[in-house]
Amino acid sequence: MSECYAYISRALPDLDPVALSKIIVHSRGFNDTHGVTGVLLYDGTTFYQYIEGPARAIADARARIEASRHHCAIQVLLDGTPRQLGAFSSWGLGYLMLDEPAHALLMPTDHEQLIGAFHRLAAKADVM
């Protein structure tokens, strides 16, 4: 069974680019190994992430995300079964840097609206 998880969190002020790079590399390795796909957006202060994959892998990823010492104030937007799989199926973990905060765009709690908001943001972001 597949699950999805989306959240917003605040990066800690001392997060440096090297630590961020390590997070991305480790996450991509985990995701590739466990069949998780998704996107991580970052605007310099806030993380926005959507992932989906096998239930066990998503539970493990969620535990890792929530235990991370690199961010705080996690606000879960979506947690459960996706209505449609494959929102970011070609990305083990797409990382995109945003030019401005996107809180208002990512507030929908409906799965389709939230995926649409992530896609609109990804289309405007710098791919890394």
Side-chain angles (χ1 to χ4, degrees), residues 1-3 30 34 36 53-63:
M1 182 158 115
S2 292
E3 295 284 324
F30 176 89
H34 295 92
V36 174
R56 178 112 171 133
I58 294 300
D60 290 349
R62 180 178 180 161

Side-chain angles (χ1 to χ4, degrees), residues 5 7 20-33 35-42 47-52 58 61 64-65 88-96 118 127-128:
Y5 176 63
Y7 69 91
L20 182 56
S21 293
K22 287 180 181 180
I23 292 168
I24 294 164
V25 168
H26 286 79
S27 296
R28 284 179 174 160
F30 176 89
N31 291 1
D32 288 344
T33 300
V36 174
T37 60
V39 62
L40 174 65
L41 308 174
Y42 181 57
F47 290 109
Y48 312 84
Q49 186 170 26
Y50 175 89
I51 55 174
E52 63 183 27
I58 294 300
R64 292 174 44 183
I65 289 165
F88 296 95
S89 60
S90 63
W91 291 355
L93 180 64
Y95 171 68
L96 305 165
F118 268 99
V127 178
M128 299 179 85

Side-chain angles (χ1 to χ4, degrees), residues 92-112:
L93 180 64
Y95 171 68
L96 305 165
M97 184 72 181
L98 301 175
D99 293 331
E100 57 190 46
H103 284 60
L105 292 175
L106 290 176
M107 294 322 289
T109 55
D110 175 80
H111 183 262
E112 291 174 19

